Amino acid sequence: MGRTGNQMFEIASLLGIALIYDIIPIIPSNTLLKRFFNLPNIADRKKYGIQNKVVHRCSRPAKICSISKEFASGKKISLFGYFQSWKYFETASSLIRNIFKFKQRHVYNANTFLSNVSLNGFERVCFHVRRGDFIKKARLDKGYAIPDVAFFEKARQFYLNKFHRVQFIVVSNEKEWCMKNIFNVHVSNFSDPADDLALLSLCDHVVVTLGTFGWWGAWLSGGITVYFDFFPQNGSMLALGTKEDYYPPSWIGIR
């Protein structure tokens, strides 16, 4: 289900849950992440006759939910949903980082970009800017919000105050908007999402705005993460009981 970031949450949660319950995880062969990573335990369910016995559906993507009842059955279990919480794989973080190692071509492309723009002695901070579909969602007023230019300046100032010598990079699905509105940055020219995600992961720190793609870039980077603290909007249905499950406690919210 979903695209890159969503499927990364699904696979990471599957592996984390499997580790907790000491069972064998099976990753469906139709995952698009096969192109990015060398994933373990990929299987075609139809080919190997893997049938649903017990189904667990995660109805609230970013709210962790118990699966102990399903595992008590002792049967095969299929997980459905987005599982957008770091808590599902909190105890398996080293395993997940090892599995989500990009194929060499994506690492090469990202490193080549960085070698062409990097300044010696500077901290590299990468903004992930997603707009597009989120602008449409924000108009529906269901808890979605879009960061304005002021947010990027606040985030920029946060890192400048902390490190003084900082270089800013942007990964975005709206490169033209970024070049017109966010100044003194290097905008990624990649069209392959795997290259952009590898670039995010190789930067020292990441600024997260909207979407799970940037979330994973920040998590894989492992630096100091700043996120847009007005998503989801407080009091909205989208925000109820999900924020602490979605954003790790070490991340810093800025509005």
Side-chain angles (χ1 to χ4, degrees):
M1 296 174 62
R3 296 187 297 181
T4 305
N6 289 331
Q7 289 199 20
M8 290 179 74
F9 264 114
E10 293 158 20
I11 290 176
S13 296
L14 170 70
L15 297 172
I17 291 167
L19 185 66
I20 291 171
Y21 291 95
D22 192 25
I23 59 172
I24 299 172
I26 299 296
I27 299 173
S29 58
N30 62 345
T31 176
L32 62 85
L33 298 182
K34 290 189 301 182
R35 189 170 63 82
F36 295 13
F37 314 108
N38 294 310
L39 298 172
N41 295 15
I42 290 181
D44 184 326
R45 296 191 348 178
K46 293 182 179 179
K47 180 179 179 180
Y48 292 99
I50 303 172
Q51 301 296 323
N52 294 333
K53 297 297 182 181
V54 177
V55 174
H56 174 85
R57 296 185 180 274
C58 182
S59 59
R60 297 285 298 280
K63 184 176 176 64
I64 192 168
C65 51
S66 173
I67 311 177
S68 55
K69 179 181 177 182
E70 285 81 357
F71 280 102
S73 69
K75 299 178 180 179
K76 294 185 181 71
I77 298 167
S78 293
L79 304 178
F80 289 90
Y82 291 106
F83 296 89
Q84 294 171 358
S85 175
W86 56 274
K87 294 180 180 178
Y88 286 112
F89 47 89
E90 182 179 10
T91 58
S93 59
S94 58
L95 170 66
I96 304 304
R97 291 182 187 281
N98 189 53
I99 287 172
F100 285 160
K101 287 185 176 178
F102 294 91
K103 292 186 176 180
Q104 191 56 43
R105 64 179 178 274
H106 304 304
V107 176
Y108 174 82
N109 291 340
N111 274 323
T112 300
F113 177 89
L114 288 175
S115 67
N116 289 331
V117 302
S118 290
L119 299 172
N120 290 332
F122 280 66
E123 294 287 314
R124 297 180 303 207
V125 174
C126 193
F127 292 100
H128 173 248
V129 183
R130 180 173 173 182
R131 291 170 56 79
D133 57 328
F134 271 84
I135 295 176
K136 296 178 182 178
K137 291 177 181 179
R139 290 172 184 155
L140 298 175
D141 194 28
K142 293 185 178 180
Y144 292 91
I146 304 296
D148 57 15
V149 174
F151 164 78
F152 296 106
E153 288 306 313
K154 289 178 183 177
R156 184 201 298 272
Q157 198 58 50
F158 170 86
Y159 288 104
L160 287 172
N161 289 340
K162 193 169 188 65
F163 299 111
H164 305 297
R165 292 161 64 87
V166 184
Q167 182 179 26
F168 295 95
I169 297 165
V170 171
V171 164
S172 179
N173 63 344
E174 288 198 15
K175 303 180 192 303
E176 187 174 339
W177 183 92
C178 293
M179 289 186 282
K180 289 181 179 179
N181 293 279
I182 307 176
F183 304 110
N184 300 317
V185 296
H186 295 280
V187 179
S188 159
N189 58 1
F190 294 136
S191 57
D192 189 328
D195 291 340
D196 269 336
L197 192 56
L199 176 58
L200 279 161
S201 73
L202 290 173
C203 286
D204 300 306
H205 315 284
V206 173
V207 176
V208 177
T209 53
L210 307 167
T212 54
F213 189 92
W215 192 103
W216 275 105
W219 192 87
L220 291 173
S221 167
I224 298 173
T225 297
V226 163
Y227 66 90
F228 178 49
D229 196 27
F230 205 55
F231 173 77
Q233 293 185 44
N234 291 337
S236 67
M237 288 298 296
L238 193 65
L240 290 178
T242 64
K243 216 163 189 178
E244 66 178 19
D245 285 354
Y246 184 65
Y247 295 113
S250 62
W251 291 13
I252 301 163
I254 291 179
R255 295 194 178 192

